[in-house]
Amino acid sequence: MKIASFNINGIKARIQALTDWLDEAAPDVVLLQEIKSVDDGFPREPFEDRGYNVETHGQKGFNGVAILSKLPLEDVRRGLPCDDGDEQARWIEATVVGQRALRICGLYLPNGNPVEIDDAGQPVAGGKYAYKLAWMERLRQRAADLMAAEEPALMAGDYNIIPQEEDAARPDAWRDDALFRPESRAAFRRIVNLGYTEAFRARIQGPGHYSFWDYQAGAWNRNDGIRIDHVLLTPQAADLLTDCRIDAEIRGREKPSDHVPVWVELDV
DNA sequence: ATGACGGATTCTATCCGA
């Protein structure tokens, strides 16, 4: 089963690029981020015509996540638990019903910029950086519950985290950014250290592998990228991992997203 | 260099992203 994550930066603007990629890559499941659409405005037909079931968790203008699946989806849940009235649509999960049940979670982790830190080094309450770190703590709690279930499950999406220096072409340019700050990377490690396998690094080592290139300043042509889209696997899912790739080349096509898909193949 | 580029809504301006 081929499962992909793709931050498409606006579903309505990406119909052609997304359907072209779907026809070539033929993923069984796609976790989409930044659909930038309300549920009723999501263009379902191009995907249903290709045999995908569609589940969305959208909001007006920004954010929004969705699942496309050729297999049936059950027990769809929207939003992280204990979200305390979080209005931002950043989490959707469901069970893919195949020969073996697989729990899949799609996430769009907050960017967190600008970084606001007080004199004691604490994130300023109400700021975007504090929101990012609080969201990551809620994610950690959900990740711990998933781990405790001891079943095949994955959490994939735009984590807005550069895990290591090798995951940025110019790490020094990101040193004080919310994507690379020590607090952000530590929060990411607290999740991975619950026992998750970061699929890409389980398969491929070394620098030069990116999933995002800014639209500005010719970042793609200079390969000035960062790797911020990740797939985390429970041990029971990691046992099934046979491949993980980043489809970087589609960044050079017409009207691309600024992110590219990352996908895993699971022997299920 | 509080810039650029691109998508969306508030739409010939502004907000947001990374």
Side-chain angles (χ1 to χ4, degrees), chain A residues 198-216:
Chain A
E198 203 250 274
F200 188 80
R201 285 309 183 196
R203 300 284 304 179
I204 297 171
Q205 302 301 309
H209 303 286
Y210 311 125
S211 65
F212 169 90
W213 296 259
D214 202 293
Y215 288 120
Q216 304 175 68

Side-chain angles (χ1 to χ4, degrees), chain A residues 109-118 121-137 160-161 174-188 190:
Chain A
L109 207 149
N111 174 303
N113 285 304
V115 172
E116 294 178 278
I117 300 264
D118 65 21
Q122 295 301 310
V124 174
K128 292 190 174 182
Y129 197 48
Y131 174 69
K132 176 178 192 152
L133 295 175
W135 201 95
M136 292 186 78
E137 172 55 20
N160 268 316
I161 294 286
W174 297 94
R175 203 68 66 184
D176 297 321
D177 193 280
L179 278 62
F180 197 50
R181 292 268 313 179
E183 302 90 339
S184 304
R185 296 164 64 193
F188 181 71
R190 277 196 290 275

